[in-house]
Amino acid sequence: MVHTYREYFNRNFTREKYANFLHLLEKDYPPVPIRFAETPVFIPEDLKNQLIAAGEEIIRLIKQPGFKELTASAIPKDWIVPNENDHPHFLAFDFGICKDEQGRLVPRLIEMQGFPSLFAFQLHLADTYKEAFELNKLADFSPFFHGMDQQTYISLLKKVILGPFAPQEVALMDIDAPNQKTAIDFFVTAKHLGIKILSLTDIFSENGQLFYQEQDEKVRLRRIYNRLIFDEVSTQQELFKTSFDPREPLDVEWITHPNWFYRISKFTMPFLKNEFVPETQFLNALETIPADLENYVLKPLFSFAGMGVIIDVTQADIANITDPENWILQRKVDYEPVVKSPDGYVKTEIRLLYIWPDGEEPQLCINLARLSRGKMIGVRYNADFDWVGGTVGLMAREIDN
């Protein structure tokens, strides 16, 4: 999106460099079953400032008194976890990049979550793009905001995830952690923090405390860096019988607490009223169906990775919804193809990633980007294209005065 950088990159792009990029990305890690784009996104200054402003608007809502009361019904009754803390430790806001009436690039909110994303991997991804495509010849690029660098970023991750505990007392947990599509993020996290990567069934409970087995030693867990989405285990609850049930009182700290996955989600979007957020309503609160339904999208509240979304909405679709309290109707975001590829322009989405230490303010740290030619951004909607997939936004290095 920065013309000078884009022209340089495209002019010097080769398939050999891209192959080397993929090789370097997986070097020392298991194969990654995700498509990565041929290019990073070069974020211009004006758009960067708008993204920062858009994120601050959302955080203002999250920090206001009464936010927990406002979002109390967001958490499914069967999945309430006790001992919730005051705020999430991680935030992720997805923005589609569009153009306004004056032709200015503008961000529009698509999704949000109070849940960890690829916080460690995006650092590795940015470094790999810079190395494989020799971007240091062009400028001093960074994926970070507000003058943050790699050292301060990793220190912040350690502070929030490890806290006062030893690395062996903290584990990254998912349902089947080593075999997740995004497991490379788990391995990069473990490399920087020294923590264990555990599947749900690797952990067991004794008298309200959690443990895992390390050879002949039983090791107590003090913290869980939680990557488990409960929707994924809703039909596999027998796993809890051989591990532990997170809904029971447990002497363990959650980073971040599972309830925040629901509180900060599509459920929150109808409460946001600003220029960066498309018109969004709970389906059960809809007084009249819009006459221009073709300009709206229907989304289930409790789903992830774009599952269940109805893009081309009809009145019949709305009539067939039996639980309208669990759906939102949102005005479509008209993505502008703005990233120039060798054979046309590609749409992009940028995810802002925040870390929120206890007793401090949330900090915008790094970003994730995705390129798309399909109707939706997700990988499954772009399987047969090139110059699409996961990537990262790079900005000319910021200097703190």
Side-chain angles (χ1 to χ4, degrees):
M1 289 184 279
V2 179
H3 179 76
T4 304
Y5 302 155
R6 175 53 53 204
E7 290 300 313
Y8 173 92
F9 185 93
N10 288 15
R11 185 169 60 250
N12 290 279
F13 176 84
T14 66
R15 302 306 302 181
E16 291 74 22
K17 287 181 180 178
Y18 178 60
N20 184 49
F21 159 76
L22 296 177
H23 168 73
L24 292 173
L25 199 64
E26 294 185 343
K27 186 181 179 182
D28 302 323
Y29 298 108
V32 185
I34 297 174
R35 191 183 202 285
F36 293 99
E38 282 81 345
T39 179
V41 174
F42 300 109
I43 300 176
E45 185 76 7
D46 180 58
L47 179 60
K48 179 196 74 174
N49 291 334
Q50 288 192 76
L51 286 163
I52 292 170
E56 289 174 348
E57 288 282 350
I58 300 170
I59 288 172
R60 191 171 294 117
L61 172 70
I62 296 169
K63 291 177 63 181
Q64 74 178 23
F67 182 76
K68 280 196 173 185
E69 288 74 16
L70 186 70
T71 57
S73 60
I75 310 168
K77 290 183 175 59
D78 292 340
W79 290 106
I80 296 174
V81 175
N83 302 321
E84 182 182 327
N85 63 333
D86 292 335
H87 62 76
H89 297 96
F90 298 95
L91 293 166
F93 305 148
D94 291 351
F95 293 93
I97 305 306
C98 311
K99 274 189 178 178
D100 64 12
E101 293 77 7
Q102 289 73 44
R104 182 190 188 195
L105 294 182
V106 292
R108 296 290 181 259
L109 184 66
I110 304 297
E111 297 268 3
M112 54 195 298
Q113 59 186 45
F115 190 79
S117 187
L118 307 180
F119 278 82
F121 174 69
Q122 288 305 113
L123 172 59
H124 173 58
L125 182 61
D127 286 345
T128 306
Y129 273 117
K130 289 191 287 183
E131 178 181 353
F133 293 100
E134 302 176 300
L135 296 182
N136 61 320
K137 294 181 179 179
L138 181 58
D140 185 13
F141 288 113
S142 172
F144 297 112
F145 295 87
H146 302 309
M148 186 172 282
D149 60 22
Q150 179 168 329
Q151 182 177 351
T152 56
Y153 181 63
I154 293 173
S155 294
L156 185 59
L157 280 174
K158 288 181 177 179
K159 176 181 179 179
V160 171
I161 296 174
L162 293 178
F165 301 110
Q168 64 266 27
E169 296 177 298
V170 182
L172 185 156
M173 181 193 74
D174 205 335
I175 184 171
D176 182 16
N179 297 309
Q180 291 290 325
K181 284 187 176 181
T182 55
I184 190 169
D185 178 67
F186 303 172
F187 293 115
V188 179
T189 302
K191 173 186 174 183
H192 287 301
L193 274 62
I195 63 177
K196 298 290 293 184
I197 301 170
L198 299 178
S199 297
L200 177 65
T201 50
D202 293 327
I203 302 171
F204 57 94
S205 173
E206 291 183 2
N207 300 318
Q209 297 178 342
L210 298 183
F211 300 86
Y212 67 93
Q213 199 72 28
E214 181 73 15
Q215 297 177 344
D216 296 329
E217 181 185 2
K218 185 173 70 174
V219 183
R220 184 178 170 191
L221 276 178
R222 301 285 185 163
R223 275 189 172 182
I224 292 177
Y225 178 34
N226 182 46
R227 306 299 291 270
L228 173 65
I229 296 174
F230 286 166
D231 291 13
E232 291 186 302
V233 293
S234 60
T235 59
Q236 304 179 61
Q237 295 189 44
E238 69 279 358
L239 295 175
F240 296 153
K241 296 176 182 178
T242 55
S243 55
F244 72 99
D245 191 330
R247 295 164 295 188
E248 295 177 354
L250 296 166
D251 187 8
V252 71
E253 295 182 12
W254 294 92
I255 307 293
T256 193
H257 193 283
N259 291 354
W260 288 104
F261 173 80
Y262 298 102
R263 290 189 184 277
I264 299 173
S265 65
K266 290 186 285 288
F267 184 93
T268 322
M269 294 187 67
F271 303 111
L272 289 162
K273 310 292 182 184
N274 62 67
E275 62 180 303
F276 304 110
V277 182
E279 174 195 341
T280 307
Q281 299 180 69
F282 292 110
L283 192 58
N284 66 331
L286 194 66
E287 295 182 358
T288 58
I289 296 176
D292 58 338
L293 268 181
E294 68 275 8
N295 293 321
Y296 289 81
V297 60
L298 197 56
K299 296 181 178 181
L301 289 178
F302 306 119
S303 71
F304 54 97
M307 298 296 290
V309 173
I310 301 173
I311 302 175
D312 299 310
V313 186
T314 66
Q315 293 204 18
D317 291 323
I318 294 176
N320 289 333
I321 300 296
T322 58
D323 56 342
E325 70 279 5
N326 292 326
W327 291 76
I328 56 171
L329 187 68
Q330 182 182 91
R331 181 168 284 277
K332 283 182 179 176
V333 170
D334 187 16
Y335 289 79
E336 180 72 17
V338 292
V339 175
K340 186 179 181 182
S341 77
D343 60 348
Y345 286 82
V346 183
K347 295 178 286 187
T348 188
E349 189 172 283
I350 295 174
R351 174 177 293 177
L352 302 183
L353 299 176
Y354 297 76
I355 299 177
W356 195 343
D358 289 327
E360 299 182 26
E361 294 295 307
Q363 299 182 41
L364 172 57
C365 298
I366 199 167
N367 75 88
L368 177 156
R370 291 181 289 188
L371 299 182
S372 172
R373 298 178 192 258
K375 274 193 172 185
M376 292 180 67
I377 289 286
V379 175
R380 64 172 57 86
Y381 306 101
N382 291 274
D384 300 323
F385 302 120
D386 61 4
W387 286 67
V388 298
T391 181
V392 66
L394 296 178
M395 298 160 280
R397 181 78 65 173
E398 302 174 37
I399 304 294
D400 274 353
N401 296 318

